[in-house]
Amino acid sequence: MENLLSMTDAKDKVFEILDTASDLKSGKIKDKALADKYLGMIFEKSSTRTRVSFEVGMHQLGGTPLYLSSNDLQIGRGEPIPDTARVLSRFLDCIMIRAKSHETVEELIKYSDIPIINGLTDKEHPCQTFADLLTIKEYKGDFNRKLVFVGDGNNVCNSLLLGAAYTGMDMTVACPEGYEPDEDIYKLAQKEAKDTNSTITIEHDINMAVKDADILYTDVWVSMGDENEAQLRQKIFKDYQINSQLLSQAKDDAIVMHCLPAIRDQEITDDVMTSSQSAIWDQAENRLHAQKAILYLLLKD
Ligand code: CP
Ligand code: NVA
């Protein structure tokens, strides 16, 4: 794996990354493998978890992270991505970027000589998927499960579809018509799922979708960049909420996941977020362990 733009880049490394993440979390891997390595972290959008977990994770591995807001970089004044890529490649060992558009990260990869990690675009959020898979592994012990993603077929959903297909997990997207995941990713995930004996489906009827679910997962109805559609989305998604009534229709031992940040009483209710079935806080912690595994794999000598 040279870069992590999409989950497709990690297809053959999924289980290695998850095992490394578990070993880093348990302390079985302790070394400062990334001493003298520098990670640039470019943010074109807000972040709490991605920023802090990459920054702390890089320090814990012995390396040095640099927070680079696009507003402060010359990118903000129009310096082209290719020039930025060429120059930062001379200073840094790796770049993590949260970009408004997926194409920005593709361009950065094209002109960089160092590994690039996608820290969220409008299309994918692969780092999140690794934390999600690690959490499912910890709670359920295996991936022979049914995950139902409730709400918007967005970046988080797209990466998770591929993660599910690669690990052999069944995944159903319960979404309103017109808010399905990316068509190419959906088709690819269905194709990959055949090789792992799993199924990838879309179901607009949420009550049908949650039957026999082991995992209920949701994300905001209004992602960063979709703010101008906020009012419309709140109407369209109103029946796609994870609440105690919906949770009671899943398996008795089902867990609830959310990538965060959450908007209470939109996509999820507070009682569910803080219930004994919520895996959300462990899932957030796992961003740290999963990302350290990704950095370790990409940068260890
Ligand atoms: N889940 C996630 O990526 O959170 P942040 O936006 O806070 O980084
Ligand atoms: N889908 C959300 C995820 C935030 C972590 C967004 O893109 O804003």
Side-chain angles (χ1 to χ4, degrees):
M1 185 169 87
E2 285 178 16
N3 302 286
L4 181 58
L5 169 67
S6 161
M7 278 305 290
T8 55
D9 295 314
K11 179 182 168 182
D12 300 327
K13 296 284 177 192
V14 172
F15 290 102
E16 185 180 341
I17 291 173
L18 294 177
D19 289 346
T20 304
S22 296
D23 289 348
L24 285 160
K25 185 172 182 175
S26 69
K28 202 168 156 194
I29 303 177
K30 272 211 179 77
D31 71 344
K32 298 276 184 192
L34 305 192
D36 301 325
K37 303 279 186 192
Y38 290 83
L39 170 75
M41 309 190 307
I42 302 176
F43 284 91
E44 290 186 347
K45 291 176 170 179
S46 309
S47 170
T48 297
R49 281 143 288 268
T50 306
R51 175 181 174 178
V52 177
S53 54
F54 264 106
E55 198 159 332
V56 170
M58 197 62 189
H59 277 297
Q60 288 180 350
L61 290 169
T64 305
L66 288 90
Y67 173 72
L68 306 167
S69 162
S70 63
N71 293 328
D72 301 333
L73 293 172
Q74 295 285 12
I75 291 176
R77 294 180 55 248
E79 184 170 20
I81 291 290
D83 292 359
T84 305
R86 290 181 183 110
V87 173
L88 291 182
S89 294
R90 306 282 180 111
F91 298 139
L92 302 168
D93 299 287
C94 183
I95 295 173
M96 187 282 296
I97 176 165
R98 169 164 289 193
K100 288 181 184 156
S101 125
H102 201 68
E103 287 71 35
T104 301
V105 188
E106 287 173 334
E107 202 178 16
L108 195 64
I109 288 173
K110 188 169 171 200
Y111 293 96
S112 294
D113 302 325
I114 55 175
I116 306 294
I117 301 172
N118 174 357
L120 180 145
T121 65
D122 52 341
K123 190 170 179 188
E124 279 208 54
H125 197 0
C127 294
Q128 181 67 51
T129 294
F130 278 106
D132 301 341
L133 294 175
L134 180 61
T135 309
I136 293 164
K137 180 178 131 177
E138 289 174 351
Y139 272 80
K140 296 292 178 188
D142 59 63
F143 294 106
N144 192 17
R145 304 285 166 175
K146 176 181 175 185
L147 184 152
V148 179
F149 186 97
V150 178
D152 188 17
N154 62 17
N155 45 8
V156 170
C157 178
N158 288 334
S159 289
L160 201 52
L161 281 169
L162 291 167
Y166 295 151
T167 53
M169 184 162 57
D170 294 337
M171 180 165 163
T172 298
V173 181
C175 63
E177 279 184 50
Y179 293 86
E180 292 84 5
D182 179 271
E183 201 179 336
D184 292 339
I185 291 182
Y186 180 65
K187 282 190 187 144
L188 177 63
Q190 283 192 312
K191 186 166 157 273
E192 297 286 355
K194 283 198 184 122
D195 293 341
T196 57
N197 283 324
S198 53
T199 56
I200 300 288
T201 55
I202 292 175
E203 171 60 66
H204 297 300
D205 180 338
I206 186 168
N207 296 308
M208 288 289 287
V210 297
K211 279 202 178 80
D212 298 324
D214 297 289
I215 301 138
L216 295 188
Y217 193 123
T218 192
D219 183 14
V220 287
W221 294 340
V222 183
S223 284
M224 292 180 277
D226 291 334
E227 290 82 359
N228 58 349
E229 298 173 15
Q231 275 193 324
L232 174 70
R233 281 171 172 264
Q234 275 154 31
K235 277 193 205 132
I236 288 175
F237 285 98
K238 71 175 174 29
D239 296 328
Y240 293 82
Q241 181 189 67
I242 300 187
N243 50 40
S244 53
Q245 192 272 335
L246 191 78
L247 184 54
S248 71
Q249 296 179 60
K251 281 193 184 161
D252 288 345
D253 63 351
I255 57 167
V256 176
M257 300 180 70
H258 192 310
C259 57
L260 300 175
I263 307 207
R264 283 166 173 77
D265 297 327
Q266 288 195 20
E267 76 276 3
I268 194 163
T269 54
D270 184 64
D271 59 332
V272 169
M273 282 189 78
T274 52
S275 76
S276 58
Q277 284 172 272
S278 168
I280 292 170
W281 315 110
D282 291 321
Q283 179 188 2
E285 178 191 326
N286 280 339
R287 291 296 304 277
L288 172 67
H289 310 297
Q291 269 147 216
K292 281 170 71 178
I294 293 163
L295 290 166
Y296 191 84
L297 192 80
L298 285 173
L299 293 179
K300 191 175 182 301
D301 287 326

PDB file of all heavy atoms in Angstrom, residues 45 49-50 98 120-122 125 128 152 154-156 219-220 222-227 259-261 287, ligand 2:
ATOM      1  N   LYS A  45     -11.251  21.274   6.138  1.00  0.00           N
ATOM      2  CA  LYS A  45     -12.531  21.219   6.845  1.00  0.00           C
ATOM      3  C   LYS A  45     -12.247  20.995   8.326  1.00  0.00           C
ATOM      4  O   LYS A  45     -11.158  20.546   8.688  1.00  0.00           O
ATOM      5  CB  LYS A  45     -13.370  20.042   6.344  1.00  0.00           C
ATOM      6  CG  LYS A  45     -13.912  20.151   4.933  1.00  0.00           C
ATOM      7  CD  LYS A  45     -14.633  18.842   4.592  1.00  0.00           C
ATOM      8  CE  LYS A  45     -15.403  18.948   3.293  1.00  0.00           C
ATOM      9  NZ  LYS A  45     -16.064  17.673   2.958  1.00  0.00           N
ATOM     10  N   ARG A  49     -11.767  14.492  16.024  1.00  0.00           N
ATOM     11  CA  ARG A  49     -11.186  13.162  16.188  1.00  0.00           C
ATOM     12  C   ARG A  49      -9.997  12.917  15.258  1.00  0.00           C
ATOM     13  O   ARG A  49      -8.958  12.414  15.689  1.00  0.00           O
ATOM     14  CB  ARG A  49     -12.251  12.079  15.905  1.00  0.00           C
ATOM     15  CG  ARG A  49     -13.187  11.849  17.057  1.00  0.00           C
ATOM     16  CD  ARG A  49     -14.576  11.585  16.564  1.00  0.00           C
ATOM     17  NE  ARG A  49     -15.137  12.825  16.054  1.00  0.00           N
ATOM     18  CZ  ARG A  49     -15.859  13.677  16.801  1.00  0.00           C
ATOM     19  NH1 ARG A  49     -16.129  13.380  18.030  1.00  0.00           N
ATOM     20  NH2 ARG A  49     -16.305  14.832  16.312  1.00  0.00           N
ATOM     21  N   THR A  50     -10.136  13.265  13.989  1.00  0.00           N
ATOM     22  CA  THR A  50      -9.072  12.958  13.026  1.00  0.00           C
ATOM     23  C   THR A  50      -7.820  13.737  13.387  1.00  0.00           C
ATOM     24  O   THR A  50      -6.718  13.181  13.442  1.00  0.00           O
ATOM     25  CB  THR A  50      -9.557  13.281  11.599  1.00  0.00           C
ATOM     26  OG1 THR A  50     -10.788  12.585  11.389  1.00  0.00           O
ATOM     27  CG2 THR A  50      -8.546  12.867  10.552  1.00  0.00           C
ATOM     28  N   ARG A  98      -7.453  16.264   4.895  1.00  0.00           N
ATOM     29  CA  ARG A  98      -8.923  16.307   4.888  1.00  0.00           C
ATOM     30  C   ARG A  98      -9.295  17.374   3.877  1.00  0.00           C
ATOM     31  O   ARG A  98      -9.035  18.568   4.096  1.00  0.00           O
ATOM     32  CB  ARG A  98      -9.471  16.634   6.280  1.00  0.00           C
ATOM     33  CG  ARG A  98     -10.944  16.944   6.252  1.00  0.00           C
ATOM     34  CD  ARG A  98     -11.598  16.894   7.615  1.00  0.00           C
ATOM     35  NE  ARG A  98     -11.698  15.527   8.090  1.00  0.00           N
ATOM     36  CZ  ARG A  98     -12.448  15.144   9.125  1.00  0.00           C
ATOM     37  NH1 ARG A  98     -13.156  16.037   9.801  1.00  0.00           N
ATOM     38  NH2 ARG A  98     -12.500  13.886   9.482  1.00  0.00           N
ATOM     39  N   LEU A 120     -10.563  12.173   5.069  1.00  0.00           N
ATOM     40  CA  LEU A 120     -11.973  12.441   4.709  1.00  0.00           C
ATOM     41  C   LEU A 120     -12.015  13.347   3.481  1.00  0.00           C
ATOM     42  O   LEU A 120     -11.330  14.377   3.414  1.00  0.00           O
ATOM     43  CB  LEU A 120     -12.774  13.118   5.840  1.00  0.00           C
ATOM     44  CG  LEU A 120     -14.257  13.456   5.591  1.00  0.00           C
ATOM     45  CD1 LEU A 120     -15.089  13.289   6.858  1.00  0.00           C
ATOM     46  CD2 LEU A 120     -14.434  14.861   5.044  1.00  0.00           C
ATOM     47  N   THR A 121     -12.819  12.885   2.528  1.00  0.00           N
ATOM     48  CA  THR A 121     -13.205  13.727   1.386  1.00  0.00           C
ATOM     49  C   THR A 121     -14.723  13.622   1.272  1.00  0.00           C
ATOM     50  O   THR A 121     -15.359  12.905   2.047  1.00  0.00           O
ATOM     51  CB  THR A 121     -12.576  13.261   0.063  1.00  0.00           C
ATOM     52  OG1 THR A 121     -13.108  11.961  -0.251  1.00  0.00           O
ATOM     53  CG2 THR A 121     -11.069  13.193   0.120  1.00  0.00           C
ATOM     54  N   ASP A 122     -15.264  14.278   0.249  1.00  0.00           N
ATOM     55  CA  ASP A 122     -16.700  14.155  -0.005  1.00  0.00           C
ATOM     56  C   ASP A 122     -17.077  12.737  -0.424  1.00  0.00           C
ATOM     57  O   ASP A 122     -18.240  12.360  -0.364  1.00  0.00           O
ATOM     58  CB  ASP A 122     -17.131  15.163  -1.087  1.00  0.00           C
ATOM     59  CG  ASP A 122     -16.271  15.072  -2.343  1.00  0.00           C
ATOM     60  OD1 ASP A 122     -15.154  14.518  -2.295  1.00  0.00           O
ATOM     61  OD2 ASP A 122     -16.715  15.562  -3.397  1.00  0.00           O
ATOM     62  N   HIS A 125     -14.041   8.023   3.559  1.00  0.00           N
ATOM     63  CA  HIS A 125     -13.417   8.264   4.864  1.00  0.00           C
ATOM     64  C   HIS A 125     -12.799   6.946   5.351  1.00  0.00           C
ATOM     65  O   HIS A 125     -13.262   6.335   6.312  1.00  0.00           O
ATOM     66  CB  HIS A 125     -14.480   8.770   5.845  1.00  0.00           C
ATOM     67  CG  HIS A 125     -13.933   9.422   7.067  1.00  0.00           C
ATOM     68  ND1 HIS A 125     -12.587   9.566   7.315  1.00  0.00           N
ATOM     69  CD2 HIS A 125     -14.563   9.988   8.138  1.00  0.00           C
ATOM     70  CE1 HIS A 125     -12.414  10.187   8.474  1.00  0.00           C
ATOM     71  NE2 HIS A 125     -13.589  10.439   8.995  1.00  0.00           N
ATOM     72  N   GLN A 128     -11.790   6.228   9.072  1.00  0.00           N
ATOM     73  CA  GLN A 128     -12.948   5.941   9.920  1.00  0.00           C
ATOM     74  C   GLN A 128     -13.326   4.462   9.814  1.00  0.00           C
ATOM     75  O   GLN A 128     -13.605   3.810  10.828  1.00  0.00           O
ATOM     76  CB  GLN A 128     -14.130   6.825   9.482  1.00  0.00           C
ATOM     77  CG  GLN A 128     -15.383   6.626  10.310  1.00  0.00           C
ATOM     78  CD  GLN A 128     -15.231   7.102  11.739  1.00  0.00           C
ATOM     79  OE1 GLN A 128     -14.815   8.226  11.982  1.00  0.00           O
ATOM     80  NE2 GLN A 128     -15.541   6.248  12.703  1.00  0.00           N
ATOM     81  N   ASP A 152     -27.802   8.711   5.375  1.00  0.00           N
ATOM     82  CA  ASP A 152     -27.282   9.238   4.112  1.00  0.00           C
ATOM     83  C   ASP A 152     -26.186   8.323   3.542  1.00  0.00           C
ATOM     84  O   ASP A 152     -25.220   8.002   4.260  1.00  0.00           O
ATOM     85  CB  ASP A 152     -26.709  10.637   4.392  1.00  0.00           C
ATOM     86  CG  ASP A 152     -26.305  11.374   3.122  1.00  0.00           C
ATOM     87  OD1 ASP A 152     -26.748  10.978   2.029  1.00  0.00           O
ATOM     88  OD2 ASP A 152     -25.553  12.371   3.246  1.00  0.00           O
ATOM     89  N   ASN A 154     -23.342   8.441   2.345  1.00  0.00           N
ATOM     90  CA  ASN A 154     -22.287   9.457   2.203  1.00  0.00           C
ATOM     91  C   ASN A 154     -20.880   8.853   2.213  1.00  0.00           C
ATOM     92  O   ASN A 154     -20.708   7.637   2.051  1.00  0.00           O
ATOM     93  CB  ASN A 154     -22.455  10.513   3.318  1.00  0.00           C
ATOM     94  CG  ASN A 154     -22.296   9.897   4.710  1.00  0.00           C
ATOM     95  OD1 ASN A 154     -21.776   8.799   4.870  1.00  0.00           O
ATOM     96  ND2 ASN A 154     -22.750  10.618   5.726  1.00  0.00           N
ATOM     97  N   ASN A 155     -19.888   9.715   2.428  1.00  0.00           N
ATOM     98  CA  ASN A 155     -18.479   9.307   2.462  1.00  0.00           C
ATOM     99  C   ASN A 155     -18.207   8.170   3.446  1.00  0.00           C
ATOM    100  O   ASN A 155     -17.502   7.202   3.125  1.00  0.00           O
ATOM    101  CB  ASN A 155     -17.580  10.521   2.759  1.00  0.00           C
ATOM    102  CG  ASN A 155     -18.102  11.412   3.892  1.00  0.00           C
ATOM    103  OD1 ASN A 155     -19.069  11.080   4.579  1.00  0.00           O
ATOM    104  ND2 ASN A 155     -17.458  12.572   4.067  1.00  0.00           N
ATOM    105  N   VAL A 156     -18.764   8.284   4.646  1.00  0.00           N
ATOM    106  CA  VAL A 156     -18.544   7.261   5.678  1.00  0.00           C
ATOM    107  C   VAL A 156     -19.164   5.945   5.221  1.00  0.00           C
ATOM    108  O   VAL A 156     -18.557   4.868   5.330  1.00  0.00           O
ATOM    109  CB  VAL A 156     -19.152   7.747   7.023  1.00  0.00           C
ATOM    110  CG1 VAL A 156     -19.177   6.628   8.054  1.00  0.00           C
ATOM    111  CG2 VAL A 156     -18.351   8.948   7.553  1.00  0.00           C
ATOM    112  N   ASP A 219     -24.751   8.273  10.661  1.00  0.00           N
ATOM    113  CA  ASP A 219     -23.914   9.470  10.538  1.00  0.00           C
ATOM    114  C   ASP A 219     -24.879  10.637  10.334  1.00  0.00           C
ATOM    115  O   ASP A 219     -26.079  10.436  10.092  1.00  0.00           O
ATOM    116  CB  ASP A 219     -22.956   9.303   9.340  1.00  0.00           C
ATOM    117  CG  ASP A 219     -21.978  10.472   9.177  1.00  0.00           C
ATOM    118  OD1 ASP A 219     -21.840  11.293  10.107  1.00  0.00           O
ATOM    119  OD2 ASP A 219     -21.346  10.566   8.099  1.00  0.00           O
ATOM    120  N   VAL A 220     -24.341  11.836  10.397  1.00  0.00           N
ATOM    121  CA  VAL A 220     -25.194  13.026  10.262  1.00  0.00           C
ATOM    122  C   VAL A 220     -25.982  13.027   8.953  1.00  0.00           C
ATOM    123  O   VAL A 220     -25.546  12.468   7.950  1.00  0.00           O
ATOM    124  CB  VAL A 220     -24.355  14.331  10.338  1.00  0.00           C
ATOM    125  CG1 VAL A 220     -23.886  14.587  11.752  1.00  0.00           C
ATOM    126  CG2 VAL A 220     -23.188  14.304   9.357  1.00  0.00           C
ATOM    127  N   VAL A 222     -26.609  15.868   7.494  1.00  0.00           N
ATOM    128  CA  VAL A 222     -26.050  16.998   6.735  1.00  0.00           C
ATOM    129  C   VAL A 222     -24.535  16.989   6.919  1.00  0.00           C
ATOM    130  O   VAL A 222     -24.015  17.415   7.948  1.00  0.00           O
ATOM    131  CB  VAL A 222     -26.635  18.346   7.216  1.00  0.00           C
ATOM    132  CG1 VAL A 222     -26.094  19.495   6.375  1.00  0.00           C
ATOM    133  CG2 VAL A 222     -28.162  18.322   7.188  1.00  0.00           C
ATOM    134  N   SER A 223     -23.830  16.473   5.924  1.00  0.00           N
ATOM    135  CA  SER A 223     -22.366  16.424   6.015  1.00  0.00           C
ATOM    136  C   SER A 223     -21.756  17.791   5.734  1.00  0.00           C
ATOM    137  O   SER A 223     -22.426  18.683   5.181  1.00  0.00           O
ATOM    138  CB  SER A 223     -21.828  15.427   4.981  1.00  0.00           C
ATOM    139  OG  SER A 223     -22.032  14.108   5.412  1.00  0.00           O
ATOM    140  N   MET A 224     -20.474  17.922   6.079  1.00  0.00           N
ATOM    141  CA  MET A 224     -19.757  19.166   5.769  1.00  0.00           C
ATOM    142  C   MET A 224     -19.788  19.374   4.254  1.00  0.00           C
ATOM    143  O   MET A 224     -19.433  18.457   3.496  1.00  0.00           O
ATOM    144  CB  MET A 224     -18.310  19.069   6.260  1.00  0.00           C
ATOM    145  CG  MET A 224     -18.197  19.035   7.762  1.00  0.00           C
ATOM    146  SD  MET A 224     -16.480  18.915   8.328  1.00  0.00           S
ATOM    147  CE  MET A 224     -16.183  17.155   8.221  1.00  0.00           C
ATOM    148  N   GLY A 225     -20.238  20.528   3.839  1.00  0.00           N
ATOM    149  CA  GLY A 225     -20.374  20.801   2.405  1.00  0.00           C
ATOM    150  C   GLY A 225     -21.821  20.714   1.930  1.00  0.00           C
ATOM    151  O   GLY A 225     -22.152  21.199   0.854  1.00  0.00           O
ATOM    152  N   ASP A 226     -22.698  20.069   2.733  1.00  0.00           N
ATOM    153  CA  ASP A 226     -24.113  19.924   2.343  1.00  0.00           C
ATOM    154  C   ASP A 226     -25.003  20.932   3.064  1.00  0.00           C
ATOM    155  O   ASP A 226     -26.238  20.815   3.030  1.00  0.00           O
ATOM    156  CB  ASP A 226     -24.640  18.514   2.693  1.00  0.00           C
ATOM    157  CG  ASP A 226     -24.014  17.425   1.843  1.00  0.00           C
ATOM    158  OD1 ASP A 226     -23.583  17.736   0.717  1.00  0.00           O
ATOM    159  OD2 ASP A 226     -23.964  16.272   2.311  1.00  0.00           O
ATOM    160  N   GLU A 227     -24.397  21.899   3.741  1.00  0.00           N
ATOM    161  CA  GLU A 227     -25.157  22.781   4.637  1.00  0.00           C
ATOM    162  C   GLU A 227     -26.307  23.499   3.929  1.00  0.00           C
ATOM    163  O   GLU A 227     -27.345  23.736   4.535  1.00  0.00           O
ATOM    164  CB  GLU A 227     -24.231  23.807   5.308  1.00  0.00           C
ATOM    165  CG  GLU A 227     -23.266  23.223   6.347  1.00  0.00           C
ATOM    166  CD  GLU A 227     -22.002  22.612   5.753  1.00  0.00           C
ATOM    167  OE1 GLU A 227     -21.839  22.614   4.516  1.00  0.00           O
ATOM    168  OE2 GLU A 227     -21.169  22.121   6.540  1.00  0.00           O
ATOM    169  N   CYS A 259     -19.962   7.622  13.685  1.00  0.00           N
ATOM    170  CA  CYS A 259     -18.587   8.104  13.511  1.00  0.00           C
ATOM    171  C   CYS A 259     -18.326   9.391  14.294  1.00  0.00           C
ATOM    172  O   CYS A 259     -17.180   9.721  14.576  1.00  0.00           O
ATOM    173  CB  CYS A 259     -18.305   8.324  12.034  1.00  0.00           C
ATOM    174  SG  CYS A 259     -19.447   9.474  11.263  1.00  0.00           S
ATOM    175  N   LEU A 260     -19.397  10.118  14.625  1.00  0.00           N
ATOM    176  CA  LEU A 260     -19.333  11.408  15.326  1.00  0.00           C
ATOM    177  C   LEU A 260     -18.704  12.480  14.426  1.00  0.00           C
ATOM    178  O   LEU A 260     -17.874  12.133  13.601  1.00  0.00           O
ATOM    179  CB  LEU A 260     -18.558  11.302  16.641  1.00  0.00           C
ATOM    180  CG  LEU A 260     -19.127  10.311  17.683  1.00  0.00           C
ATOM    181  CD1 LEU A 260     -18.175  10.243  18.886  1.00  0.00           C
ATOM    182  CD2 LEU A 260     -20.524  10.707  18.143  1.00  0.00           C
ATOM    183  N   PRO A 261     -19.045  13.741  14.555  1.00  0.00           N
ATOM    184  CA  PRO A 261     -19.941  14.304  15.568  1.00  0.00           C
ATOM    185  C   PRO A 261     -21.404  13.945  15.283  1.00  0.00           C
ATOM    186  O   PRO A 261     -21.779  13.787  14.122  1.00  0.00           O
ATOM    187  CB  PRO A 261     -19.722  15.815  15.430  1.00  0.00           C
ATOM    188  CG  PRO A 261     -19.319  16.008  14.008  1.00  0.00           C
ATOM    189  CD  PRO A 261     -18.529  14.790  13.641  1.00  0.00           C
ATOM    190  N   ARG A 287     -10.174   5.296  16.651  1.00  0.00           N
ATOM    191  CA  ARG A 287      -9.543   6.107  15.599  1.00  0.00           C
ATOM    192  C   ARG A 287      -8.033   6.175  15.844  1.00  0.00           C
ATOM    193  O   ARG A 287      -7.227   6.100  14.925  1.00  0.00           O
ATOM    194  CB  ARG A 287     -10.134   7.531  15.577  1.00  0.00           C
ATOM    195  CG  ARG A 287     -11.565   7.635  15.104  1.00  0.00           C
ATOM    196  CD  ARG A 287     -11.749   7.216  13.659  1.00  0.00           C
ATOM    197  NE  ARG A 287     -10.896   7.950  12.735  1.00  0.00           N
ATOM    198  CZ  ARG A 287     -11.178   9.160  12.238  1.00  0.00           C
ATOM    199  NH1 ARG A 287     -12.317   9.736  12.535  1.00  0.00           N
ATOM    200  NH2 ARG A 287     -10.351   9.759  11.403  1.00  0.00           N
TER     201      ARG A 287
HETATM  202  N1  NVA B   2     -20.258  12.547   6.748  1.00  0.00           N
HETATM  203  C1  NVA B   2     -19.675  13.462   7.684  1.00  0.00           C
HETATM  204  C2  NVA B   2     -18.595  12.778   8.455  1.00  0.00           C
HETATM  205  C3  NVA B   2     -17.915  13.611   9.484  1.00  0.00           C
HETATM  206  C4  NVA B   2     -16.822  12.875  10.194  1.00  0.00           C
HETATM  207  C5  NVA B   2     -19.114  14.673   6.932  1.00  0.00           C
HETATM  208  O1  NVA B   2     -18.541  14.489   5.858  1.00  0.00           O
HETATM  209  O2  NVA B   2     -19.278  15.790   7.410  1.00  0.00           O
END
